[in-house]
Amino acid sequence: PPGYGAPPPGYPAGYPGYGPPPGAAAYPPGYPPQGYPAGYPPAAYPPQGYGALPGHGGGFPEHSREGSRDRERREEKAGRSRGGRKEREKEREKDGGKDGGAASAGGGSSSSRPPAERSATSPPEGLTVLVASTYVVRGEFVLQSTNHGKPVYKKSVQVNGLDVMLYFWDERDGGSFSGWWFGPKVGGEQVWAYHPDKAMAPPASGWKVPYDGPVDPSFIIAEKPGHGPENKRSTDKDKKEEEKKQRAQEEEAKRKGLEDKKKQLEDMRKRQEEEYRKRQEEQQKAEEEAKKRMEEEAKRRQEEEQSLKVTVEQRRQEQKSTLSIRRVIQKVRAATPENIEELEKELQQTLDAELELCGSQKQRMKEESDKGLEQARTRIEQINLARRKELEKKEEEEKKKREADDRVKQLIQELANLVETAEGAAAKLKEVAVQLEDNSEFSVADVERTVQAVKEQGLDTRLRTKACTDFILQRGPEMRDPVPAMPGQTVENKPALLKLLQRIYESTRAAESTIVAATGKKDFAARRAAAREKTKEMQATFNKYDKDRDGVLSKLEVIKYSKGEYRFNVPEDAMTRIWTHLVEEGSRGVPLDRFHCLKVAIGTARERERDMQRRIEREEKEKVVSEMKADLQETVNETAKAVTESEQACAKAEDRVQAMQAKAKTMLALDMLTLADEADEITREAKAAVAQARKQVESMGEGVDKRFLVDLKDFLSEETKQLEARMAKVDARLSKASSLSTRFRDQASKKRGAELEKTRTAMMKVIRRCQSAEGLSKEQLFDMFDKNGDGEIDESEFLQFFQDANKTCNEAKEGDDSGSAKANAEESAGAVEAANSAETADLPADALSRLFPNYVDEGTTLTREAFFRMVRLYFKVVKDTFLTDSLSLKESTTVRRLEVGEVVEVLEGPRREEHTSVMRARVRAVRDDAEGWATVAGNQGTMFLREGGGLFKVVKETILTESFSLSGSNETTRKLNHTSRKVKEGEIVEVWEWPKKEEVSGLTRMRCRAKSDGAIGWITTMGNQGAKFAELL
């Protein structure tokens, strides 16, 4: 094969088709195009020690994993991927192992059928691939399982560590992937052969190798001997004949395959030779044409080069001359007063020599030379002027520097005077501080006076040295030496200034060190003086009680000293210890040098006496505290009982609240609210019990004697801590119960609102039907409700109307339908569906009774104004139309234009206009109260007005109040916030009175009814700064 060179020893012979085409030195690209000849390579190839085919990894393309993966990647790029491996494995796991399922009978016909005659419902137990160009699949296969309703076969031995599977794949990945496949894994990405047949068993021939290649005629599948139903009872002789027959078939198939392959290769070789010859002829022709074009191009270029050469030479001479002139012009422009005349002469000589050679640049060079000479002369004048100014400036600077130098000398002298003053103060400080060194006779007062004198003199010294440093900080920039006016000039002031700075530093350091030393000596002198005074006091005290003046204190004198100084009687044992330790043998008492030890001994004896007294008091106190703890324990037990009762009340409230939650979906809103009230009452009782228990806990420490409160603090803290922890849990449980109860009440309110809205909708359908059927105005409709004619509608009249409404309105409706069925059908499809609906409303008396109070302003009856508000109908403009002064379109005049989004209130109608058959209604615009007739729906079904516009959506949380005005004190506003109902963002409210401005607060307010629970009141639609709280739907 290509790329192998000479075959190694043992290379199998007899496999044609691998030599280059006749007349070619090498293989053309892509040759051979379809793999290797049938039957090649044999099972023992490649021989040991011989490499693999170039570019194919460790084996042949149709055999190797790498080759198969390369093919899969190419297929993905070409749009022929067999689908993701994970998806196929999931499908295989779903279908694999299931023998049930109907076999796929459709899907196209196969090129051939298995050779053996078998049952249509019984697949063969084993198969044999007799001859194949791909040795991987050659061998015996046994039935293993099913996939997609068809059998799966597995090769009896592995190849290169891989299983070889024969399986069927249905059309779930597309029709091009449905058929029989050879691969190492069912549904895997690597495959070796493919057949599009969809029969229940693998076809005998017609297999494509590789799966996207041509049909391999050498690929033969036969049923494995001994596995067919008709061969189960065959004898050994029949088996041998069958094997012989199979070998013959195999040899015949191999021979045919080789012949077909040879023929294919020969045809391909001829085609390639013809193509090669044509390409050679075309190439020769192209080369001749290119040579001719190149000759013509060379001639043209030679002529152009000759012409260009003359032009270039002329331009070169011009450029040389202009460059020479410009070089001199540039020198003239940079001239100085010293060389200007010499450069002018050089410029004139250059112009005389080169100007005539400049050709077309002659005039330009003349102009440039004149301009350059003029610029040079101007520049020389500027230089001379600048030099004069520089000289004047230099003289002025020298004068200023001399003045500055004199000023610096004056300042240095002033600083020197300040430094001398500071040094004098430092010397005086040292003289004052020396007095503390000779302090042998100083008293404490003398030491304090001397220290005070040191402090005062130290302060004076510091102030004087600070004056020096402040002077330097303020005048330092002025005292710096000016820059020498002339090079080599000496600087005289700087050394003097440095010496003064050094003197300031040394004076400051000397003063500080003197102050520090004086402070240390002061402490020593003060302690020494105090010790002398203490010694004198002790001597005086000793002499006071040494009555016999014998220089020692006897026992009697010691007792008098203790009583006189400390009011303490020295016990006998303490006196014995004092005498044992302080009085030397043979001495009559305590000497002066041990008087301080006597003082300590008496203090120790006195403290022993006090400690004994404290022990007695402590024992008595512990006894009292123990008795008080016993009394407090009873109070703790009573308080714990109260806490337990509060826990029981809490558990009762929790049980009631949890029971409510289960009934929320099935109960009516009224029953839910009653149940919520009961739960809230139980919760309040539980909270009261908790409050009472907490009060008892807080009062446990009351009445305790303050002397023992500290001792009982830990006991009370431990007991109250446990009780408070229990009460904290009860608080959390009650809080949760309250939240659940509140949520339940909200659900009840929403359900009540939904029930009321359902009743209101049904009620309005009945009212609209009756009003439309009988053509009633609002006044006439009110009179139908007001049976007794007193101008108000009570609840009984309200209910009576709806009891009679179905009968009355339905009769009127039947009469109307008999004459104008078509008109009513058209109207019902228009903007007044509710008014003309013939549905029977479900209006129970109890539901109407719950709805009636929502429309009553005050008292128990419905006024005429409240009734009109209840039955009014709003339309929203959905397409621009006109407001006219009459029903007829021909005879009316326009009042104004109605724009999209406007809201109008229906005053009369809708009615059908006779001439145009459009639906018209008399309306009043909410925006400016303009009245007139407007078109509701055109005669072709176009809608101009639709029912709606009376609803607002809350876009920012606000409150629902009873009154229109919000003005008042801060306390009134705070109470409103706590007592009014909150209207949350997203709630829908129905307009009762359109928004108007409240003059005091500047807020825009609207009276409305909440759709969620039927609550009625005033809300703010726009703040006084333009913030929106509600907007029209």
Side-chain angles (χ1 to χ4, degrees):
Y4 278 87
Y11 186 89
Y15 296 92
Y18 283 84
Y27 299 97
Y31 183 83
Q34 299 294 337
Y36 300 90
Y40 181 83
Y45 183 80
Q48 187 175 3
Y50 198 76
L53 284 174
H56 294 294
F60 296 95
E62 57 270 38
H63 305 159
S64 64
R65 304 182 196 178
E66 291 77 4
S68 299
R69 289 169 185 161
D70 290 341
R71 286 197 304 274
E72 292 295 332
R73 287 192 288 268
R74 292 195 301 271
E75 290 162 6
E76 290 175 2
K77 292 180 180 178
R80 295 181 286 113
S81 175
R82 298 184 64 239
R85 179 171 59 189
K86 293 183 178 180
E87 289 75 3
R88 292 195 297 273
E89 288 178 354
K90 289 181 180 179
E91 295 294 336
R92 181 174 58 82
E93 290 172 359
K94 185 186 296 184
D95 296 337
K98 298 181 181 179
D99 294 332
S104 176
S109 61
S110 64
S111 59
S112 61
R113 291 298 177 192
E117 295 294 334
R118 61 175 72 94
S119 172
T121 60
S122 177
E125 296 293 329
L127 298 173
T128 300
V129 179
L130 299 177
V131 179
S133 59
T134 302
Y135 77 95
V136 177
V137 300
R138 191 183 307 123
E140 296 182 352
F141 289 74
V142 294
L143 182 64
Q144 185 187 40
S145 60
T146 61
N147 183 62
H148 297 180
K150 292 183 174 55
V152 175
Y153 295 91
K154 180 179 179 182
K155 190 174 180 180
S156 56
V157 294
Q158 290 186 334
V159 178
N160 294 332
L162 296 175
D163 292 332
V164 182
M165 309 296 292
L166 172 58
Y167 61 92
F168 177 80
W169 196 265
D170 61 15
E171 296 183 353
R172 66 187 63 197
D173 291 337
S176 61
F177 295 114
S178 177
W180 290 90
W181 298 85
F182 277 92
K185 184 178 180 181
V186 175
E189 294 182 356
Q190 183 177 355
V191 292
W192 292 300
Y194 165 67
H195 199 296
D197 190 19
K198 298 176 177 58
M200 278 298 296
S205 60
W207 290 84
K208 294 182 179 181
V209 182
Y211 82 90
D212 57 349
V215 174
D216 187 350
S218 66
F219 202 111
I220 303 297
I221 296 179
E223 185 176 342
K224 186 177 179 181
H227 287 79
E230 70 282 2
N231 293 330
K232 291 183 179 180
R233 294 182 297 274
S234 61
T235 62
D236 294 339
K237 184 177 180 180
D238 294 336
K239 290 180 180 179
K240 291 180 180 180
E241 291 178 356
E242 184 65 26
E243 291 175 358
K244 183 178 180 180
K245 182 179 179 181
Q246 289 176 357
R247 283 195 297 271
Q249 291 177 349
E250 184 178 350
E251 292 296 331
E252 180 63 20
K254 184 186 296 184
R255 185 185 61 77
K256 290 182 178 180
L258 289 173
E259 291 177 355
D260 293 342
K261 183 62 75 174
K262 288 179 181 178
K263 185 177 179 181
Q264 292 175 2
L265 294 175
E266 182 63 25
D267 293 342
M268 183 178 294
R269 184 183 63 79
K270 291 180 179 180
R271 287 196 301 271
Q272 290 175 348
E273 287 179 352
E274 182 63 22
E275 291 174 358
Y276 181 77
R277 184 183 60 79
K278 289 181 179 180
R279 285 197 298 269
Q280 292 292 338
E281 292 176 354
E282 292 175 353
Q283 183 177 359
Q284 184 177 359
K285 184 177 179 180
E287 290 176 353
E288 292 176 354
E289 293 176 353
K291 183 178 180 181
K292 184 178 180 181
R293 286 195 300 270
M294 290 175 65
E295 291 175 352
E296 294 175 353
E297 182 68 18
K299 183 178 179 181
R300 184 182 61 79
R301 288 181 179 178
Q302 185 177 3
E303 294 175 353
E304 291 178 352
E305 288 175 359
Q306 187 64 27
S307 175
L308 182 61
K309 186 175 181 180
V310 175
T311 305
V312 168
E313 180 62 26
Q314 184 179 355
R315 289 180 180 177
R316 188 186 65 80
Q317 183 61 40
E318 291 180 0
Q319 290 174 355
K320 182 179 178 181
S321 299
T322 55
L323 183 60
S324 299
I325 296 173
R326 283 173 175 165
R327 194 177 290 122
V328 178
I329 293 173
Q330 187 66 25
K331 290 167 67 177
V332 170
R333 286 175 178 170
T336 63
E338 290 78 12
N339 62 0
I340 181 62
E341 294 180 359
E342 181 181 352
L343 292 176
E344 286 181 358
K345 292 179 181 180
E346 183 180 354
L347 177 60
Q348 187 60 42
Q349 292 174 359
T350 305
L351 289 174
D352 294 341
E354 302 289 345
L355 186 60
E356 296 299 331
L357 300 177
C358 291
S360 60
Q361 298 291 324
K362 178 180 178 180
Q363 183 62 30
R364 184 174 181 181
M365 287 299 98
K366 180 62 175 174
E367 293 174 356
E368 286 185 8
S369 62
D370 295 341
K371 186 176 180 182
L373 188 59
E374 183 181 355
Q375 290 175 350
R377 289 170 180 169
T378 304
R379 182 173 174 275
I380 293 302
E381 292 178 0
Q382 293 175 351
I383 291 173
N384 291 331
L385 179 62
R387 286 179 178 179
R388 287 194 297 272
K389 290 182 179 179
E390 183 67 23
L391 182 60
E392 293 173 357
K393 181 179 179 183
K394 191 172 182 180
E395 292 175 352
E396 183 67 23
E397 288 177 352
E398 288 178 355
K399 181 180 178 181
K400 290 181 179 179
K401 286 177 182 179
R402 285 193 297 271
E403 293 175 353
D405 189 54
D406 295 338
R407 177 61 177 164
V408 169
K409 290 178 180 179
Q410 181 183 354
L411 293 174
I412 289 176
Q413 184 60 41
E414 293 178 9
L415 178 60
N417 295 335
L418 292 174
V419 172
E420 288 177 0
T421 305
E423 288 174 341
K428 188 175 180 181
L429 172 64
K430 190 173 183 179
E431 293 175 0
V432 175
V434 169
Q435 298 177 13
L436 289 174
E437 295 179 359
D438 186 13
N439 56 11
S440 58
E441 300 300 331
F442 272 22
S443 64
V444 174
D446 295 336
V447 173
E448 292 294 335
R449 282 195 298 274
T450 305
V451 169
Q452 183 63 29
V454 171
K455 288 182 178 178
E456 292 175 356
Q457 187 60 38
L459 179 60
D460 181 65
T461 303
R462 284 174 175 169
L463 290 175
R464 293 183 184 279
T465 55
K466 185 175 183 298
C468 297
T469 56
D470 290 345
F471 185 85
I472 293 173
L473 291 174
Q474 294 175 2
R475 302 296 181 88
E478 299 179 31
M479 294 167 66
R480 292 174 185 166
D481 283 320
V483 178
M486 297 295 292
Q489 182 179 350
T490 58
V491 179
E492 299 177 355
N493 299 321
K494 187 173 182 180
L497 180 61
L498 292 176
K499 289 179 181 180
L500 290 174
L501 292 174
Q502 182 66 23
R503 290 170 61 187
I504 294 171
Y505 170 71
E506 291 175 353
S507 177
T508 303
R509 187 178 65 174
E512 293 298 328
S513 62
T514 302
I515 293 171
V516 172
T519 302
K521 292 174 183 179
K522 170 248 180 180
D523 295 338
F524 175 75
R527 289 194 301 270
R528 190 173 181 180
R532 281 197 296 268
E533 291 182 359
K534 194 72 175 176
T535 301
K536 290 179 180 180
E537 291 177 1
M538 189 165 45
Q539 180 70 41
T541 304
F542 185 86
N543 294 335
K544 177 181 177 182
Y545 293 99
D546 185 16
K547 299 297 184 182
D548 54 6
R549 298 292 185 269
D550 58 355
V552 293
L553 294 179
S554 62
K555 287 186 178 181
L556 180 60
E557 290 171 341
V558 169
I559 291 172
K560 289 181 178 180
Y561 165 72
S562 177
K563 287 183 178 180
E565 296 297 326
Y566 305 109
R567 298 179 182 180
F568 174 65
N569 291 323
V570 181
E572 186 63 29
D573 57 342
M575 184 64 74
T576 302
R577 284 193 298 273
I578 291 172
W579 229 252
T580 301
H581 293 90
L582 299 181
V583 179
E584 295 180 355
E585 186 176 354
S587 178
R588 291 178 298 172
V590 180
L592 178 61
D593 59 346
R594 293 195 175 184
F595 184 66
H596 66 284
C597 295
L598 175 63
K599 186 177 180 181
V600 173
I602 292 173
T604 302
R606 186 174 62 174
E607 188 62 28
R608 285 176 178 270
E609 190 75 19
R610 290 176 179 175
D611 187 57
M612 187 178 296
Q613 183 65 29
R614 285 195 293 267
R615 185 185 299 112
I616 294 171
E617 291 176 357
R618 185 174 66 252
E619 291 174 354
E620 292 177 355
K621 184 177 181 180
E622 288 176 353
K623 183 178 178 181
V624 174
V625 168
S626 178
E627 293 174 356
M628 294 181 71
K629 282 184 178 180
D631 295 338
L632 285 174
Q633 187 61 48
E634 295 180 1
T635 304
V636 170
N637 294 338
E638 293 177 0
T639 305
K641 184 177 179 181
V643 173
T644 302
E645 291 175 355
S646 68
E647 289 175 339
Q648 293 173 353
C650 176
K652 182 179 179 182
E654 287 178 332
D655 294 341
R656 176 58 63 91
V657 171
Q658 291 175 358
M660 290 192 310
Q661 299 298 320
K663 301 177 182 179
K665 293 184 179 180
T666 58
M667 294 182 67
L668 294 175
L670 186 62
D671 297 336
M672 289 175 68
L673 291 172
T674 303
L675 196 59
D677 292 338
E678 295 175 359
D680 290 345
E681 182 62 30
I682 295 174
T683 304
R684 281 193 293 271
E685 293 175 358
K687 289 182 177 180
V690 172
Q692 181 62 29
R694 181 170 280 106
K695 186 176 180 181
Q696 293 183 14
V697 171
E698 293 173 351
S699 64
M700 282 196 303
E702 297 178 359
V704 178
D705 194 336
K706 293 182 179 180
R707 295 177 300 169
F708 307 108
L709 189 60
V710 175
D711 300 280
L712 294 172
K713 182 178 180 181
D714 293 339
F715 172 78
L716 291 173
S717 176
E718 184 64 27
E719 294 296 333
T720 57
K721 184 178 180 181
Q722 297 178 6
L723 296 175
E724 287 176 353
R726 291 172 60 186
M727 288 188 294
K729 293 181 180 179
V730 173
D731 288 339
R733 291 165 59 189
L734 287 175
S735 177
K736 183 179 179 181
S738 298
S739 299
L740 292 174
S741 178
T742 302
R743 188 186 306 171
F744 183 79
R745 185 178 294 279
D746 291 342
Q747 292 176 352
S749 298
K750 290 180 181 179
K751 183 176 285 189
R752 177 176 178 272
E755 291 175 356
L756 292 175
E757 181 62 23
K758 181 179 179 181
T759 304
R760 190 196 72 82
T761 302
M763 176 193 74
M764 294 309 299
K765 284 185 177 181
V766 173
I767 292 175
R768 296 268 188 265
R769 189 174 71 240
C770 292
Q771 186 179 13
S772 177
E774 299 187 9
L776 300 176
S777 64
K778 290 183 180 180
E779 295 286 348
Q780 293 171 334
L781 186 63
F782 179 82
D783 293 339
M784 286 187 66
F785 275 87
D786 186 15
K787 300 294 184 181
N788 55 14
D790 60 353
E792 295 180 346
I793 302 172
D794 57 25
E795 184 174 350
S796 60
E797 292 174 332
F798 185 77
L799 298 177
Q800 186 62 42
F801 172 82
F802 290 102
Q803 290 178 1
D804 302 338
N806 284 337
K807 180 179 178 182
T808 303
C809 295
N810 285 338
E811 288 176 355
K813 184 69 178 176
E814 290 172 3
D816 181 63
D817 287 348
S818 62
S820 58
K822 181 178 179 181
N824 286 335
E826 293 176 354
E827 291 178 4
S828 63
V832 288
E833 297 173 358
N836 292 328
S837 175
E839 298 178 1
T840 300
D842 184 14
L843 290 172
D846 57 345
L848 290 169
S849 297
R850 289 194 295 271
L851 179 65
F852 180 76
N854 288 278
Y855 293 100
V856 175
D857 290 337
E858 294 180 357
T860 59
T861 59
L862 194 64
T863 63
R864 187 181 299 273
E865 180 183 357
F867 177 79
F868 291 162
R869 183 174 59 243
M870 179 185 73
V871 300
R872 66 187 173 187
L873 176 64
Y874 290 106
F875 277 179
K876 190 173 183 180
V877 180
V878 295
K879 189 174 182 179
D880 288 353
T881 185
F882 292 95
L883 192 67
T884 62
D885 59 355
S886 65
L887 173 65
S888 175
L889 288 174
K890 291 184 178 180
E891 300 173 358
S892 62
T893 59
T894 300
V895 176
R896 74 172 181 86
R897 185 185 186 89
L898 293 177
E899 298 177 353
V900 173
E902 277 198 71
V903 179
V904 296
E905 181 184 356
V906 178
L907 302 177
E908 184 180 345
R911 296 182 186 176
R912 185 175 301 281
E913 203 269 338
E914 295 180 356
H915 298 89
T916 59
S917 297
V918 299
M919 295 297 297
R920 304 264 287 165
R922 190 168 69 88
V923 299
R924 177 171 57 239
V926 171
R927 187 173 70 184
D928 56 2
D929 291 334
E931 293 187 11
W933 289 84
T935 301
V936 179
N939 51 19
Q940 299 297 323
T942 303
M943 300 301 300
F944 294 90
L945 307 179
R946 285 190 184 277
E947 185 175 354
L951 299 179
F952 276 71
K953 181 180 180 180
V954 178
V955 296
K956 188 176 182 180
E957 185 176 292
T958 182
I959 57 174
L960 187 74
T961 62
E962 294 181 355
S963 62
F964 170 71
S965 176
L966 284 179
S967 60
S969 63
N970 293 334
E971 181 66 20
T972 304
T973 305
R974 186 182 63 81
K975 288 182 179 179
L976 275 176
N977 290 332
H978 285 286
T979 59
S980 302
R981 176 192 182 279
K982 288 185 178 180
V983 185
K984 297 181 180 179
E985 182 180 346
E987 278 200 61
I988 306 300
V989 296
E990 180 184 359
V991 179
W992 275 36
E993 291 187 27
W994 285 90
K996 54 185 178 180
K997 191 172 184 179
E998 206 267 321
E999 297 299 333
V1000 176
S1001 63
L1003 303 175
T1004 303
R1005 308 269 288 159
M1006 175 182 74
R1007 193 178 186 209
C1008 60
R1009 183 177 68 88
K1011 299 282 277 186
S1012 60
D1013 58 359
I1016 300 172
W1018 293 85
I1019 68 169
T1020 300
T1021 59
M1022 183 177 293
N1024 51 20
Q1025 299 297 324
K1028 279 190 176 183
F1029 290 85
E1031 60 183 16
L1032 183 67
L1033 285 178

